[in-house]
Amino acid sequence: MRGVVFDGVRADVVDDLEIRDPGPGEVLVDVAAAGLCHSDLSVIDGTIPFPAPVVLGHEGAGVVEAVGSGVTHVSPGDHVALSTLANCGACADCDRGRPTMCRKAIGRPTQPFSRGGTALYQFAANSSFAERTVVKAVQAVPIPAEIPLTSAALMGCGVLTGVGAVLNRARVGQGDTVVVIGTGGIGLNVLQGARIAGASRIVAVDANPDKEAVARQFGATDFLTSAAGVRDLLPHGADHVFECVGRVELIRTAIDLLDRHGQAIVLGMPAADAEASFVPAQLFLDKSILGCRYGSSRPQRDIRLYADLYRQGRLLLDELVTETYPVEDFSKAVQDAQQGRVARGVLVF
């Protein structure tokens, strides 16, 4: 079986992976497509520490091949989008509708893969850069068969994170003003989340002027190549500013751009030991700094909602897929992502 394995030094495409059968409460999925997210690249460059060897990928969709005992919501042949959230469903946080806070879903990687007798870790409880993967039943969300799997794959991370941050965490309201710093895969989904929420002014900020057309397509009413121009458009500041790049100086910028009672939402992933600074006195104007894990999502609910919005023409998925690559072209997909050539590159099997 083919897949992308990171051995702690480099990532390579291999063709001799093996995977165990699904156990109770698990689903074996024949992966059709998987988006290449910067979180995968962050494992390779060390920004996200993760044990190796590991099968990469965490944004995928495919067809159910087999289910373990106790699984009733999906059957072989069903199309599913895969979430990374292997929450337990029984703890206090899950019971309160906060599965992203489930402690059993964080920091406990399993090893369902093997290669030459050596066990390999599963990245983000998902590992969608493999022809087949085993996930917990809660991670397999049924979707309509008419949604292209190359597009559906993106719902499992980029869409859940970006749109979810707007609707679930920030709770952007009708008529609010929004600034989005960074228009990569997450930023574009924040833009369309703000559009869906009914924001009156949506300002996209990205140093690359070539991204203006796609930013406006997804919902930006204005586009700037520098945050310095935001106050010209919004003299009092914005109700919500989303930092989608992962640079600590931009977190400070996001706070500085807020209006009274505004909130800065941090979505970008800086290095684990990075520190940000700001002027605490600003917070006495009822400003807030919000972290956001995985769009504060409830995947079984949210992915179904986003599938409906896609079918209504309100959520863009096909337009996110800039390029598809056979898995053998993983290195080219990485290069294109690093150089900002794609909104989202998708590996296909």
Side-chain angles (χ1 to χ4, degrees), residues 219-297:
T221 59
D222 303 272
F223 183 89
L224 300 171
T225 55
S226 169
V230 170
R231 290 283 181 175
D232 294 330
L233 300 175
L234 302 170
H236 296 299
D239 296 312
H240 314 272
V241 181
F242 295 82
E243 198 285 326
C244 305
V245 180
R247 287 168 46 190
V248 293
E249 65 271 24
L250 294 179
I251 296 173
R252 168 66 181 269
T253 298
I255 297 167
D256 291 344
L257 291 176
L258 292 174
D259 195 357
R260 298 181 179 190
H261 209 274
Q263 50 188 17
I265 300 90
V266 180
L267 297 180
M269 178 66 73
D273 58 352
E275 297 182 0
S277 64
F278 61 94
V279 179
Q282 294 189 54
L283 301 186
F284 291 99
L285 292 173
D286 280 3
K287 297 182 181 181
S288 304
I289 306 168
L290 303 181
C292 184
R293 174 174 163 79
Y294 202 41
S296 300
S297 62

Side-chain angles (χ1 to χ4, degrees), residues 279-331:
V279 179
Q282 294 189 54
L283 301 186
F284 291 99
L285 292 173
D286 280 3
K287 297 182 181 181
S288 304
I289 306 168
L290 303 181
C292 184
R293 174 174 163 79
Y294 202 41
S296 300
S297 62
R298 287 183 274 172
Q300 285 285 342
R301 179 201 67 170
D302 290 351
I303 288 177
R304 295 169 197 252
L305 168 63
Y306 300 154
D308 285 342
L309 291 174
Y310 169 82
R311 296 167 79 185
Q312 296 168 20
R314 298 174 60 195
L315 182 82
L316 305 182
L317 290 179
D318 305 337
E319 295 82 358
L320 283 168
V321 183
T322 312
E323 189 73 48
T324 59
Y325 309 83
V327 67
E328 289 79 9
D329 287 346
F330 174 72
S331 60

Side-chain angles (χ1 to χ4, degrees), residues 12-345:
D12 290 302
V13 179
V14 303
D15 61 5
D16 56 352
L17 279 179
E18 296 181 353
I19 190 165
R20 62 171 173 78
D21 293 332
E26 293 182 332
V27 179
L28 176 66
V29 177
D30 184 2
V31 179
L36 175 58
C37 173
H38 279 280
S39 293
D40 299 300
L41 303 182
S42 294
V43 174
I44 297 172
D45 67 21
T47 302
I48 297 179
F50 205 89
V54 56
V55 180
L56 295 176
H58 66 286
E59 186 181 67
V63 180
V64 174
E65 184 173 319
V67 300
S69 62
V71 178
T72 59
H73 76 292
V74 292
S75 302
D78 287 349
H79 287 209
V80 292
L82 302 178
S83 87
T84 69
L85 199 58
N87 60 294
C88 72
C91 68
D93 283 309
C94 287
D95 189 54
R96 292 170 183 159
R98 301 188 305 211
T100 58
M101 295 297 104
C102 176
R103 286 170 172 80
K104 293 185 178 180
I106 303 172
R108 300 185 183 187
T110 59
Q111 295 177 298
F113 298 94
S114 62
R115 185 184 180 212
T118 299
L120 280 70
Y121 286 100
Q122 184 172 40
F123 178 53
N126 188 303
S127 289
S128 55
F129 290 173
E131 289 186 81
R132 294 190 301 281
T133 190
V134 168
V135 297
K136 291 182 67 172
V138 72
Q139 296 175 257
V141 185
I143 56 172
E146 64 264 30
I147 300 180
L149 290 171
T150 50
S151 300
L154 306 187
M155 288 196 287
C157 178
V159 176
L160 276 178
T161 299
V163 179
V166 175
L167 302 183
N168 301 328
R169 186 65 167 129
R171 298 185 182 275
V172 172
Q174 190 84 20
D176 285 357
T177 55
V178 172
V179 174
V180 181
I181 302 175
T183 60
I186 299 300
L188 289 177
N189 281 296
V190 173
L191 289 172
Q192 69 171 334
R195 170 177 52 77
I196 291 168
S200 62
R201 199 85 182 258
I202 306 171
V203 182
V205 180
D206 198 295
N208 184 352
D210 294 337
K211 292 188 175 182
E212 179 173 2
V214 69
R216 290 186 180 275
Q217 180 184 21
F218 276 76
T221 59
D222 303 272
F223 183 89
L224 300 171
T225 55
S226 169
V230 170
R231 290 283 181 175
D232 294 330
L233 300 175
L234 302 170
H236 296 299
D239 296 312
H240 314 272
V241 181
F242 295 82
E243 198 285 326
C244 305
V245 180
R247 287 168 46 190
V248 293
E249 65 271 24
L250 294 179
I251 296 173
R252 168 66 181 269
T253 298
I255 297 167
D256 291 344
L257 291 176
L258 292 174
D259 195 357
R260 298 181 179 190
H261 209 274
Q263 50 188 17
I265 300 90
V266 180
L267 297 180
M269 178 66 73
D273 58 352
E275 297 182 0
S277 64
F278 61 94
V279 179
Q282 294 189 54
L283 301 186
F284 291 99
L285 292 173
D286 280 3
K287 297 182 181 181
S288 304
I289 306 168
L290 303 181
C292 184
R293 174 174 163 79
Y294 202 41
S296 300
S297 62
R298 287 183 274 172
Q300 285 285 342
R301 179 201 67 170
D302 290 351
I303 288 177
R304 295 169 197 252
L305 168 63
Y306 300 154
D308 285 342
L309 291 174
Y310 169 82
R311 296 167 79 185
Q312 296 168 20
R314 298 174 60 195
L315 182 82
L316 305 182
L317 290 179
D318 305 337
E319 295 82 358
L320 283 168
V321 183
T322 312
E323 189 73 48
T324 59
Y325 309 83
V327 67
E328 289 79 9
D329 287 346
F330 174 72
S331 60
K332 183 179 188 304
V334 168
Q335 186 177 41
D336 287 349
Q338 290 174 329
Q339 296 181 1
R341 296 174 184 157
V342 293
R344 216 35 149 218

